[in-house]
Amino acid sequence: MAPPKDKPGPKDPRPCSIADALALVGEKYSLLVLREVCLGNRRFDQLVRNIGAPRDVLATRLRRLVDAGILTRRTYSEHPQRFEYRPTEAGLELEPVLMTLMAWGDRHLRKDDDRPMVVEHSCGNELVPTVTCTACGAPVRHEDLTAHPQAPGWTVTGPAAA
Amino acid sequence: MAPPKDKPGPKDPRPCSIADALALVGEKYSLLVLREVCLGNRRFDQLVRNIGAPRDVLATRLRRLVDAGILTRRTYSEHPQRFEYRPTEAGLELEPVLMTLMAWGDRHLRKDDDRPMVVEHSCGNELVPTVTCTACGAPVRHEDLTAHPQAPGWTVTGPAAA
DNA sequence: CGCGGTCAGTTGGAAAATCAAACCCTCCCC
DNA sequence: GGGGAGGGTTTGATTTTCCAACTGACCGCG
């Protein structure tokens, strides 16, 4: 019974895959969980220590990430029951997000060279990730982008843009 | 007076630029704010509507992002005082994170072709972002990465890795 | 002039999430 | 049988979030 509106009202935020993705992995600690499992740390106590999250919150996040298909929970020992968490394919495909965030942090949050972690690429060099356009290979710069919302009523530069 | 430890304890999470970056932009709505200002929507009410955030929370986030140097707050009208928010250089450099997240969401959260937003690159094609190694140009795949923590006591695959 | 609307927030109070510490249970090792 | 490790859950206090209402400066309309 939702009457179609011209202008989206207060209760219908912009439909958007960024928002949808963040609904899954945007809660506190979720991306840090992913960082750890991508680093190969798969166990609950390890995660608690390395992330610094409260145990109960971490347990909640892990359930959510498993439900979302980003992590798997595998038994690595019955008697006593013990589990490990690993990234799924979908989880691994979030690693670029982590690398991009890390690069940003390295660049803007520490001018000097105290990078707390260096990632090596198989080509032999330190990984400095760039986001590029798959079609033309050029690095993605803001000025080169034009957004086209697919749903009606949504603008990208309000009618009152300066 | 922090005694140096071999194994990091419960109260010293892994030092990491991912965590540092998320401390700034990882709170709920922060990246959506950035999405909107990158789209050219600069005003408070516009942000409230398009993001769907409570006004008070949004006000808090905006202050934080401005303090962090990710957004600027510019007066666009005295009498009545009115402000607009724009991304700084640092803010714009987070756009690749957004694009990467969006691509992931498009791929994993909607198998069919109902992408809610399409971004066009200046090369004329739809933007499909890839994260590549700046040195060799190859797309970043998990298997090609090796992490080297720079602080002592931190491992990347716990001693009990399977 | 008075009425309604836009804009950029602030305020107040209830509901939900976070946090830290303690607890539980099952094993293993000595 | 005492002390770990491991993987959580429980409890209760503290923070955040959320929502609706309110403010205060203006504008346009009749």
Side-chain angles (χ1 to χ4, degrees):
Chain A
M1 295 304 175
K5 291 177 180 180
D6 274 324
K7 284 179 187 300
K11 285 280 84 92
D12 39 74
R14 184 193 293 282
C16 167
S17 290
I18 300 172
D20 294 353
L22 287 174
L24 291 186
V25 299
E27 292 169 299
K28 199 170 179 184
Y29 304 121
S30 293
L31 284 177
L32 298 184
V33 170
L34 197 64
R35 176 195 70 189
E36 286 302 315
V37 298
C38 283
L39 288 173
N41 295 321
R42 320 187 204 290
R43 275 123 98 136
F44 188 84
D45 274 22
Q46 243 170 350
L47 298 178
V48 168
R49 278 192 296 275
N50 294 358
I51 295 172
R55 307 173 74 80
D56 57 342
V57 176
L58 188 63
T60 307
R61 294 294 179 274
L62 287 169
R63 266 189 293 267
R64 183 150 178 63
L65 291 171
V66 168
D67 288 355
I70 291 167
L71 259 42
T72 56
R73 184 189 199 241
R74 276 193 19 184
T75 298
Y76 73 84
S77 143
E78 333 251 353
H79 296 328
Q81 281 233 309
R82 290 291 142 80
F83 311 100
E84 63 180 12
Y85 297 91
R86 291 160 175 268
T88 61
E89 238 344 279
L92 288 177
E93 286 179 39
L94 275 169
E95 216 177 10
V97 174
L98 297 181
M99 294 299 102
T100 310
L101 263 178
M102 186 177 77
W104 186 89
D106 283 342
R107 232 174 316 121
H108 294 280
L109 270 26
R110 16 189 130 239
K111 284 295 171 205
D112 19 344
D113 257 344
D114 63 334
R115 279 191 292 280
M117 190 152 93
V118 170
V119 176
E120 192 189 327
H121 189 243
S122 56
C123 74
N125 296 285
E126 178 186 346
L127 176 69
V128 180
T130 321
V131 177
T132 60
C133 168
T134 308
C136 74
V140 166
R141 288 162 50 236
H142 175 70
E143 318 85 83
D144 297 329
L145 305 180
T146 318
H148 302 289
Q150 303 295 293
W154 292 102
T155 52
V156 293
T157 43
Chain B
M1 297 304 175
K5 292 175 179 181
D6 273 326
K7 285 180 185 298
K11 284 281 84 90
D12 39 75
R14 184 193 292 281
C16 167
S17 289
I18 301 173
D20 294 353
L22 287 174
L24 291 187
V25 299
E27 292 169 299
K28 199 171 179 184
Y29 304 121
S30 293
L31 284 177
L32 297 184
V33 170
L34 197 65
R35 175 195 71 190
E36 286 303 315
V37 298
C38 283
L39 288 173
N41 295 322
R42 321 187 203 292
R43 275 121 99 138
F44 189 85
D45 273 24
Q46 244 171 350
L47 299 179
V48 168
R49 278 192 297 274
N50 293 358
I51 294 171
R55 307 175 74 79
D56 57 343
V57 175
L58 188 61
T60 306
R61 293 296 178 273
L62 287 169
R63 266 189 294 266
R64 183 149 180 64
L65 290 171
V66 169
D67 288 356
I70 291 168
L71 260 42
T72 57
R73 184 191 198 239
R74 275 191 20 182
T75 298
Y76 73 85
S77 143
E78 333 253 352
H79 295 322
Q81 282 232 309
R82 291 291 142 78
F83 310 99
E84 62 179 13
Y85 297 91
R86 288 160 178 269
T88 61
E89 240 342 280
L92 288 177
E93 287 179 38
L94 275 169
E95 216 177 9
V97 175
L98 297 182
M99 294 299 102
T100 310
L101 262 178
M102 186 176 77
W104 186 90
D106 282 343
R107 229 171 319 119
H108 294 279
L109 269 27
R110 17 189 128 241
K111 285 293 170 207
D112 19 344
D113 257 343
D114 62 337
R115 279 191 293 279
M117 190 153 92
V118 170
V119 176
E120 192 189 325
H121 189 243
S122 56
C123 75
N125 295 287
E126 179 186 345
L127 176 69
V128 180
T130 320
V131 177
T132 60
C133 169
T134 308
C136 74
V140 166
R141 288 163 50 237
H142 175 69
E143 319 84 83
D144 297 328
L145 305 181
T146 318
H148 302 289
Q150 303 296 293
W154 292 99
T155 51
V156 294
T157 44

